[in-house]
Amino acid sequence: MAGTLDCDVAIIGAGPAGLTAGYLLTKQGKSVVIIEKDETYVGGISRTVEHEGYRFDIGGHRFFSKSQEVVDLWNEILPDDFIQRPRMSRIYYEGKFYSYPLRAFEALWNLGIIRSTICMASYLKYKLFPIKEVKSFEDWTTNQFGKKLYSIFFKTYTEKVWGMPCDEMSADWAAQRIKGLSLWSAVVDGLKRSLGLNKKPNDGQEVKTLLETFRYPRLGPGMMWDAARDHILATGKGQVLMGHGLDRLAKIGPNDEDCEWSMSAKGESGNATIRAKHVISSAPMRELSKRIHPLPQSTLKADNLRYRDFLTVALMVKSDDLFPDNWIYIHDDRVQVGRVQNFRSWSPEMIPDESMACVGLEYFCFEGDGLWSSSDEDLIAQATREMEILGLCDPKKVVSGAVVRQEKAYPVYDDDYEANVDAMRHELEEKHPSLHLVGRNGMHRYNNQDHAMMTAMLTVENIVAGKRIYDTWCVNEDAEYHEAGDEGAEKALPASDETMPLNDDQIAALTSLRGVPERIAPEEPAEDIRKRA
């Protein structure tokens, strides 16, 4: 589609944040044009890819939120297609499976008495004689769990995910990812679980409780976002330009037509120019900064933001099922795969043939590196070999495969990211109040789906009100998301003095953010670091 389109709001990206904004704006009678660079799928990282009738996720997306407002919106968009699924995940280490969360007797049996004794001795050693100058992920985690447990349950998987040695990663990563987890509490919980002393709900765990079941669209998360797109189009107020990427965003007004922005988008079917009063962007901040005209002063800062990329190799296997887990964490340095999804366990309807299974092997990489640049044929062959090495399937039963690459899947929290994000955010808010940033990459926040949606929901409220009545960045950075408790559970979140306070339900969604790393000062005593982290 080519030509010039006028609308109230132009939206960059048809992921959960962009489509949520488009859906709510068209309900309010606003006209929107959404551009999406993918030619086929909406939903961003929450899309569902189809290959030869098989459907699979890009990472697996459960539909749980403590915000009733988000849950209600899901039910409104997709009222009749949710199913309740059992949750099961395990850790694979040295050919054995470990329940997640821990079952103490099982772990002791798998590790053996000698290794278990070594693990506990190592734990006690570092509690009595901790590393005093805590600089790295390895230092922090070793002090918390001992060198042996660190090497078994943290080192291999963490290095796969983030692509760097643990001794080169900031201790902030450990404070973020493992915050609040106590080995002693885990062992006590594990003993109770093993002896059957815990009571439901959530098997009686007191720390980091996990849901036993979760809701899921019967044909995958993409079903939700396909429905959102269809609702937008059905209003007659919205257009979605597939296969169109942002080329240039220029401030022009306001002119006689009350348009402040001119946005050009390039696509194989033709170029389009969209003129709008407001722009909502879920595009990566680094990319957006280079396309705004004139260039923001913070462009150099935004250019330093980093991302971790991701690819999934889906294998179709001649088997009714391979294992009962939704996913398995792979702690094995013989293979590059980091996690294996079993899509039949997510929803049986994603597999068209009852005699077949479909699994997704997830690889964490950087765009342009060896994994990313490998051919689909080589990646399918590698995934097949690694499933054989892990003993998860017979390679002779692999019928076919498909590869999906996802760039910028994970915003990286390095030492400078917060300052870089703040520089761009504050400049755009000051100079361009009608340009709104939403979503995971739009705000460079490693968040959950419901948080991305809530940033869009609050942005719509701001646009309809004609001013920023809500601070979409007002997030409790120390909050840690637990997949537990009732939908609508509350957590405290401070409100900005210059904006309306958020209600409890909005707070519940915004605190689903995966906690921003706490900064650990190297001069602090190790004992204080342990207590605070």
Side-chain angles (χ1 to χ4, degrees):
M1 186 174 186
T4 299
L5 305 171
D6 286 355
C7 61
D8 294 316
V9 184
I11 300 174
I12 305 168
L19 288 171
T20 296
Y23 177 81
L24 294 174
L25 285 165
T26 52
K27 278 187 65 177
Q28 294 276 359
K30 302 289 187 182
S31 59
V32 304
V33 176
I34 304 174
I35 63 169
E36 168 55 50
K37 65 180 180 180
D38 194 293
E39 295 184 354
T40 306
Y41 298 104
V42 296
I45 198 172
S46 295
R47 69 191 182 277
T48 300
V49 174
E50 185 173 355
H51 176 77
E52 298 177 350
Y54 294 84
R55 297 173 181 267
F56 46 91
D57 285 15
I58 313 303
H61 297 272
R62 287 158 286 166
F63 282 71
F64 172 79
S65 177
K66 293 181 181 180
S67 166
Q68 192 61 46
E69 190 175 351
V70 170
V71 174
D72 289 345
L73 185 58
W74 282 331
N75 290 335
E76 179 181 321
I77 296 173
L78 199 67
D80 302 316
D81 290 292
F82 276 109
I83 55 177
Q84 198 77 17
R85 298 298 298 160
R87 180 196 187 282
M88 179 180 180
S89 63
R90 289 181 291 175
I91 295 171
Y92 178 98
Y93 176 71
E94 289 190 346
K96 296 179 180 179
F97 291 98
Y98 295 77
S99 296
Y100 180 73
L102 172 71
R103 293 184 184 272
F105 292 158
E106 175 193 72
L108 290 171
W109 179 264
N110 283 349
L111 288 173
I113 297 299
I114 295 176
R115 185 178 288 183
S116 297
T117 302
I118 293 172
C119 287
M120 294 310 298
S122 176
Y123 168 72
L124 292 173
K125 172 186 173 181
Y126 283 95
K127 284 299 178 185
L128 293 172
F129 306 103
I131 299 170
K132 293 183 178 180
E133 192 174 356
V134 177
K135 293 182 177 180
S136 68
F137 182 103
E138 181 174 309
D139 295 339
W140 193 97
T141 313
T142 298
N143 276 354
Q144 287 292 104
F145 303 99
K147 181 73 78 174
K148 192 64 178 177
L149 280 173
Y150 152 75
S151 65
I152 292 174
F153 291 116
F154 295 97
K155 185 178 189 297
T156 301
Y157 186 76
T158 301
E159 291 183 349
K160 283 182 182 179
V161 172
W162 298 109
M164 62 185 75
C166 286
D167 59 2
E168 295 180 10
M169 297 173 63
S170 169
D172 294 348
W173 283 109
Q176 174 206 1
R177 303 300 292 171
I178 318 168
K179 185 179 179 181
L181 180 60
S182 158
L183 178 62
W184 178 250
S185 296
V187 170
V188 170
D189 265 345
L191 286 169
K192 288 181 179 179
R193 288 166 60 82
S194 300
L195 294 171
L197 299 178
N198 285 335
K199 297 179 180 179
K200 293 183 178 182
N202 295 317
D203 217 6
Q205 303 167 79
E206 296 179 359
V207 179
K208 284 188 174 290
T209 55
L210 297 169
L211 294 176
E212 294 177 332
T213 64
F214 59 88
R215 291 199 314 158
Y216 188 74
R218 59 184 181 83
L219 295 178
M223 194 178 192
M224 168 67 67
W225 304 116
D226 287 346
R229 173 204 57 205
D230 293 344
H231 282 301
I232 292 168
L233 298 176
T235 65
K237 288 285 188 177
Q239 299 184 58
V240 182
L241 306 186
M242 302 299 294
H244 280 74
L246 176 65
D247 181 49
R248 188 172 185 264
L249 181 62
K251 193 73 176 288
I252 61 172
N255 60 19
D256 293 338
E257 288 78 26
D258 204 26
C259 294
E260 296 187 14
W261 294 96
S262 175
M263 183 170 76
S264 58
K266 285 187 175 181
E268 288 189 6
S269 59
N271 299 334
T273 299
I274 301 103
R275 300 192 305 172
K277 184 172 183 180
H278 290 269
V279 173
I280 296 175
S281 174
S282 63
M285 293 181 78
R286 190 173 73 187
E287 293 186 2
L288 177 67
S289 69
K290 297 176 181 178
R291 289 165 172 77
I292 298 176
H293 180 77
L295 284 176
Q297 294 180 351
S298 57
T299 298
L300 291 177
K301 292 278 190 180
D303 197 44
N304 290 324
L305 293 172
R306 301 170 60 219
Y307 305 85
R308 184 70 163 153
D309 306 296
F310 173 91
L311 61 85
T312 291
V313 182
L315 298 179
M316 293 68 183
V317 184
K318 192 68 177 176
S319 171
D320 56 353
D321 206 359
L322 296 174
F323 44 83
D325 309 69
N326 307 105
W327 67 94
I328 299 172
Y329 297 103
I330 307 299
H331 292 229
D332 193 316
D333 57 12
R334 296 176 300 165
V335 295
Q336 287 183 280
V337 61
R339 191 169 57 180
V340 180
Q341 304 279 353
N342 180 8
F343 295 113
R344 182 181 295 281
S345 291
W346 285 88
S347 171
E349 292 189 53
M350 297 174 73
I351 315 302
D353 186 340
E354 292 185 358
S355 67
M356 297 290 290
C358 180
V359 294
L361 285 80
E362 298 177 351
Y363 295 88
F364 307 95
C365 53
F366 290 111
E367 186 176 356
D369 68 10
L371 268 175
W372 183 272
S373 302
S374 296
S375 68
D376 289 2
E377 292 75 14
D378 287 344
L379 287 169
I380 292 168
Q382 176 176 340
T384 302
R385 287 195 305 272
E386 293 190 354
M387 286 290 282
E388 180 182 22
I389 291 170
L390 297 172
L392 295 179
C393 88
D394 181 348
K396 295 179 182 178
K397 294 186 176 182
V398 175
V399 175
S400 63
V403 177
V404 178
R405 293 169 176 80
Q406 178 61 51
E407 62 183 23
K408 299 177 177 62
Y410 304 107
V412 170
Y413 288 178
D414 56 24
D415 288 339
D416 300 320
Y417 93 95
E418 198 166 16
N420 294 332
V421 169
D422 284 347
M424 184 173 176
R425 168 201 167 185
H426 290 303
E427 182 181 359
L428 294 186
E429 285 186 349
E430 179 182 350
K431 294 181 178 179
H432 307 301
S434 57
L435 174 58
H436 312 267
L437 306 183
V438 297
R440 174 183 286 198
N441 280 337
M443 303 174 82
H444 201 84
R445 288 189 180 276
Y446 182 28
N447 55 29
N448 293 300
Q449 186 173 213
D450 59 341
H451 176 276
M453 292 175 65
M454 184 53 71
T455 60
M457 293 159 80
L458 295 177
T459 294
V460 170
E461 294 289 336
N462 290 342
I463 290 173
V464 172
K467 60 181 179 179
R468 291 181 185 256
I469 58 174
Y470 290 112
D471 180 3
T472 57
W473 297 81
C474 184
V475 176
N476 180 357
E477 294 187 342
D478 291 329
E480 185 173 1
Y481 185 53
H482 296 249
E483 290 175 337
D486 297 327
E487 290 175 335
E490 302 172 12
K491 284 190 177 182
L493 183 71
S496 167
D497 293 336
E498 300 177 358
T499 57
M500 289 178 58
L502 301 175
N503 64 41
D504 294 333
D505 202 80
Q506 293 164 339
I507 289 168
L510 289 182
T511 52
S512 77
L513 176 68
R514 294 172 171 93
V516 174
E518 182 178 354
R519 299 303 177 194
I520 297 179
E523 65 271 12
E524 286 185 46
E527 183 65 27
D528 291 342
I529 291 174
R530 287 198 305 274
K531 287 180 179 178
R532 184 161 60 82

